Amino acid sequence: YLILSSLDANGATNHILGLTIKEMNITEVQRSCIWKHLASLIDKNLVCQSGNYGKQKMYYITEDGINLIKGV
């Protein structure tokens, strides 16, 4: 839930406000692990890719992702 929580806490809730992996500031795990988990979260429609910032991809939490971490 680190990825979902980070996106939600930083207000990355739509394609305009997406965050890069670096901006998520998750230091507990390696980036390669984050990429792997992001792919899974995208497949489950909990996170979407919103575009690119230079070479970095940007991500935001979906409504389903928000509902999951809030327990709705």
Side-chain angles (χ1 to χ4, degrees):
Y1 291 104
L2 287 173
I3 295 170
L4 295 175
S5 297
S6 177
L7 291 170
D8 186 49
N10 287 294
T13 56
N14 63 52
H15 68 282
I16 296 171
L17 301 172
L19 295 177
T20 65
I21 290 175
K22 186 176 182 178
E23 291 172 327
M24 288 182 211
N25 200 25
I26 299 172
T27 58
E28 294 85 358
V29 292
Q30 295 179 343
R31 281 190 184 198
S32 60
C33 187
I34 294 172
W35 286 324
K36 197 180 300 182
H37 288 290
L38 273 169
S40 174
L41 292 170
I42 290 169
D43 287 343
K44 295 175 183 170
N45 195 38
L46 300 174
V47 171
C48 282
Q49 182 181 336
S50 63
N52 296 320
Y53 181 72
K55 293 183 179 181
Q56 299 181 43
K57 295 178 180 175
M58 298 180 72
Y59 304 92
Y60 67 95
I61 190 170
T62 65
E63 201 63 41
D64 290 341
I66 293 170
N67 290 339
L68 179 67
I69 62 173
K70 304 251 183 201
V72 176

